Amino acid sequence: MVTEVKIGDVAFGDQHPFVLVSGPCVLEDLDMTLHIAESLKKLTDQLGIDFVFKASYDKANRTSVSSFRGPGIDAGLEMLAKVKSEFNVPVVSDVHDATQVAAASQVLDIIQIPAFLCRQTDLLVAAGNSGRVVNVKKGQFQAPWDMKHVVGKVASTGNEQILLTERGASFGYNNLVVDMRSLLIMRELGKPVIFDATHAVQLPGGADGASAGQREYVAALSRAAVAIGIDGLFWEVHPDPECARCDGPNSLYLKDLQPILESLLAVDAVVKNR
């Protein structure tokens, strides 16, 4: 059994269908952000899927110094607040150091710790102290059983509202693989687990100054993860991934989501005996 994590009407845990955590990799502009959020909200409402909107206000770990990072924390939080109020959905974004947590927690429903920072004690404790739900992405270098120490750092604040996300492990240069055992191992820590299917097919730094990706494998990996019994699915999406300013090669086309989600709901219902 895992601890149920609730944000309003959105619930992660054993008794619930998977939650879709989705949006663009990075906030590009307000019109694009609202278009993606509206499309995802309509689709998830139609399919009966709980939905959390995600987008980064700053991509602090881009491959190149010239890569687009986003609008920054102030403008980015304003955009996310607009999404939250206009579509009545929870929102999540990354924080990169402890000084960002206070401002971010005024808007975000979920404070997300990036994979590269999953061992940063001060950041984890600050996120826990925010009182918000904390989603920690397992580092590409981190064993799933070692996430118990990550959970312990957040929980040391008294905050047990913790989510864990699998996004693949480094496998040689410019490549990631997913050990599906890690989804089960992390769930044994008693926390809901999310599978980040679009980052799992990323090829970090594989495009000479940017990351490449293999979106053609997202649907299959998502089915495998849902068949294991995960609590949430993380997808980066874009109306035109080829023109996305970050992570386009591993992002899904917004127009292609419905049939994939319908098939995943069928698998989820069987696995969870619903």
Side-chain angles (χ1 to χ4, degrees):
M1 294 289 290
V2 302
T3 302
E4 181 183 74
V5 172
K6 292 198 71 174
I7 309 154
D9 294 331
V10 173
F12 296 83
D14 286 315
Q15 306 304 315
H16 305 286
F18 68 84
V19 176
L20 182 66
V21 181
S22 188
C25 173
V26 65
L27 294 164
E28 297 184 13
D29 60 61
L30 182 59
D31 288 344
M32 175 75 74
T33 300
L34 295 177
H35 169 64
I36 295 172
E38 181 178 27
S39 299
L40 288 169
K41 174 64 172 170
K42 285 181 178 177
L43 178 58
T44 51
D45 281 353
Q46 175 186 335
L47 297 177
I49 299 173
D50 284 353
F51 167 55
V52 176
F53 181 80
K54 66 80 41 187
S56 295
Y57 55 74
D58 179 23
K59 301 298 290 187
N61 64 347
R62 294 301 305 274
T63 303
S64 169
V65 70
S66 61
S67 297
F68 178 71
R69 289 180 52 165
I73 187 169
D74 294 334
L77 289 175
E78 286 184 15
M79 289 189 200
L80 290 166
K82 181 77 171 175
V83 168
K84 184 174 176 175
S85 63
E86 190 154 325
F87 302 110
N88 191 31
V89 296
V91 295
V92 56
S93 194
D94 305 288
V95 295
H96 301 97
D97 63 65
T99 65
Q100 295 182 353
V101 172
S105 65
Q106 297 301 307
V107 174
L108 303 181
D109 300 281
I110 303 175
I111 302 286
Q112 182 164 285
I113 309 299
F116 284 129
L117 301 177
C118 73
R119 291 167 58 102
Q120 296 296 103
T121 302
D122 290 348
L123 182 57
L124 291 165
V125 170
N129 279 326
S130 74
R132 296 295 191 179
V133 173
V134 180
N135 178 36
V136 187
K137 289 196 169 185
K138 180 177 75 64
Q140 300 90 326
F141 47 83
Q142 182 91 342
W145 44 85
D146 286 336
M147 290 299 285
K148 67 182 179 182
H149 304 297
V150 171
V151 169
K153 290 177 182 181
V154 179
S156 71
T157 67
N159 185 349
E160 295 285 350
Q161 296 287 93
I162 302 166
L163 304 168
L164 300 175
T165 295
E166 170 61 68
R167 58 142 302 154
S170 295
F171 187 72
Y173 299 121
N174 306 121
N175 196 29
L176 299 169
V177 296
V178 179
D179 179 357
M180 289 292 175
R181 295 175 302 174
S182 71
L183 301 171
L184 293 169
I185 292 166
M186 289 197 294
R187 283 191 100 248
E188 289 169 0
L189 300 176
K191 303 302 178 186
V193 169
I194 298 168
F195 177 55
D196 182 350
T198 48
H199 278 116
V201 300
Q202 187 184 66
L203 302 175
D208 190 22
S211 291
Q214 298 173 312
R215 78 170 65 88
E216 63 269 26
Y217 299 123
V218 169
L221 287 175
S222 297
R223 284 194 296 272
V226 170
I228 285 172
I230 55 166
D231 307 287
L233 195 59
F234 185 110
W235 282 352
E236 290 189 335
V237 302
H238 196 278
D240 185 4
E242 304 307 326
C243 295
R245 302 191 70 180
C246 180
D247 276 6
N250 54 273
S251 295
L252 292 173
Y253 281 87
L254 195 56
K255 65 180 178 61
D256 292 342
L257 303 187
Q258 183 166 344
I260 305 173
L261 284 172
E262 288 174 341
S263 70
L264 294 175
L265 283 172
V267 175
D268 190 70
V270 171
V271 170
K272 295 177 181 174
N273 297 314
R274 287 185 289 101

